[in-house]
Amino acid sequence: MASEAPPDLVLLDTQVSGMNGIEVCRALKRTSELEHIPVMFVTADTSEEFEMAGFHAGAADFVRKPVNPRLVRVRVQHQLRFKAMGDLLRKSASTDGLTGLANRATFDRTLEREWARAERTRNPLSLLIVDVDHFKLYNDRYGHPAGDQCLRRVADALQRVCRRPADLAARLGGEEFALILPETPEVGAARVAESLLLEIDALGIAHAASTTRPTVSVSVGIATHDARESGIFRTASEPEGGSSERALELVQSADHALYQAKHSGRARACSSFGEVFQAQASLAV
């Protein structure tokens, strides 16, 4: 139940049918999505041994039986305030301050994790690298505050094309962004890229300094690795290179495709397999 709808606080009785409270607490703390949720034990056990075991399991506090409602309320409010501060710190450490997207560190961790998952499941993994065309010219013409607003609107467009919870939109730095698309083959990644081009086109952000078009546009590089079609993927038992090193190959492929998109006219997406997709229509060349 906690995994389906993560709570802000767990009040846990030590006597739970089928599993004692210490075991439940350990199970919660082993789950990455739940490990930051404070657990308060409700117990009649006042022994030092139990309290030590509870703290070692990850408990945040203890409520003694018989329960004093006023004291429980104060302790709960304290833990909720502490959790809110922790959530804020974790969010600031993992998100880009300007756009609210995942930051570079989160992108790197997520790509490595999804690469390892793709190796285990033998499912495809796609990556889009996105660059705002002529962004320096935009800043020079309209000023940096307008440039920041432009980046925020581009970031919102990236979020809109992330259809599934596992998809990740990130800002890599400057005017460069990325989309990690787990379990997505090349054709699916191309559709996402097309959708993004259309979203950016629909923004209609004026860019009088652009030599490509009168509104802001982006160029996109697409790379896909599929364990069923590529020898790049290896089984976990094979020692050649770590996940981070091999995930870098995917970034390099997407960067190369982005270079192709830039040098073939911008305002388009290119895949590492040589296909070009433009906002008005998808054209295979």
Side-chain angles (χ1 to χ4, degrees):
M1 289 173 63
S3 296
E4 292 171 2
D8 290 308
L9 174 71
V10 175
L11 289 166
L12 182 61
D13 199 304
T14 54
Q15 300 302 317
V16 183
S17 59
M19 184 185 296
N20 68 44
I22 297 290
E23 291 171 334
V24 173
C25 186
R26 288 189 184 127
L28 289 168
K29 297 301 175 179
R30 282 196 300 266
T31 306
S32 60
E33 295 83 1
L34 305 175
E35 64 178 341
H36 301 299
I37 297 171
V39 175
M40 293 175 61
F41 277 116
V42 181
T43 179
D45 192 333
T46 59
S47 69
E48 179 181 339
E49 291 76 13
F50 174 78
E51 193 162 311
M52 290 296 295
F55 279 130
H56 283 306
D61 200 357
F62 296 84
V63 174
R64 303 301 180 186
K65 293 180 180 178
V67 170
N68 180 326
R70 293 178 61 191
L71 186 58
V72 170
R73 186 176 296 110
V74 171
R75 289 179 178 271
V76 164
Q77 289 172 347
H78 172 76
Q79 290 299 329
L80 290 177
R81 282 195 298 270
F82 187 75
K83 169 137 187 324
M85 289 188 290
D87 288 345
L88 186 61
L89 287 172
R90 282 186 290 273
K91 182 177 180 180
S92 65
S94 62
T95 60
D96 174 62
L98 176 66
T99 64
L101 298 183
N103 61 18
R104 181 59 188 256
T106 303
F107 167 82
D108 289 340
R109 289 194 301 269
T110 303
L111 183 62
E112 184 175 349
R113 183 181 67 245
E114 292 300 339
W115 181 281
R117 191 199 309 275
E119 286 187 320
R120 291 195 306 271
T121 63
R122 317 301 286 177
N123 285 322
L125 172 66
S126 289
L127 173 67
L128 274 58
I129 302 291
V130 182
D131 190 81
V132 181
D133 296 325
H134 307 295
F135 188 68
K136 183 179 184 303
L137 295 177
Y138 187 92
N139 269 339
D140 292 344
R141 178 64 179 266
Y142 299 100
H144 288 279
D148 288 348
Q149 179 61 20
C150 174
L151 292 178
R152 282 191 285 265
R153 295 184 66 186
V154 169
D156 290 343
L158 264 75
Q159 286 283 42
R160 287 195 293 273
V161 301
C162 287
R163 307 292 186 186
R164 303 166 306 170
D167 297 341
L168 179 80
R171 184 186 180 201
L172 302 184
E175 68 271 25
E176 192 171 62
F177 299 86
L179 286 175
I180 299 175
L181 304 172
E183 299 185 17
T184 304
E186 184 195 5
V187 63
R191 290 197 189 102
V192 173
E194 261 192 300
S195 295
L196 178 61
L197 292 172
L198 290 168
E199 285 279 355
I200 299 298
D201 197 46
L203 292 177
I205 304 172
H207 192 349
S210 173
T211 57
T212 300
R213 57 174 58 190
T215 58
V216 167
S217 62
V218 296
S219 297
V220 184
I222 308 168
T224 302
H225 280 313
D226 193 329
R228 296 163 296 188
E229 299 176 2
S230 171
I232 296 295
F233 282 76
R234 304 178 180 92
T235 63
S237 62
E238 292 178 307
E240 292 186 57
S243 294
S244 58
E245 179 184 338
R246 297 200 298 273
L248 182 61
E249 299 171 13
L250 189 62
V251 176
Q252 291 170 340
S253 294
D255 273 333
H256 180 69
L258 175 62
Y259 176 86
Q260 291 178 313
K262 289 285 189 183
H263 286 264
S264 60
R266 303 179 191 257
R268 65 194 64 205
C270 286
S271 77
S272 55
F273 293 91
E275 289 185 303
V276 178
F277 307 90
Q278 292 175 285
Q280 301 303 322
S282 63
L283 307 172
V285 299

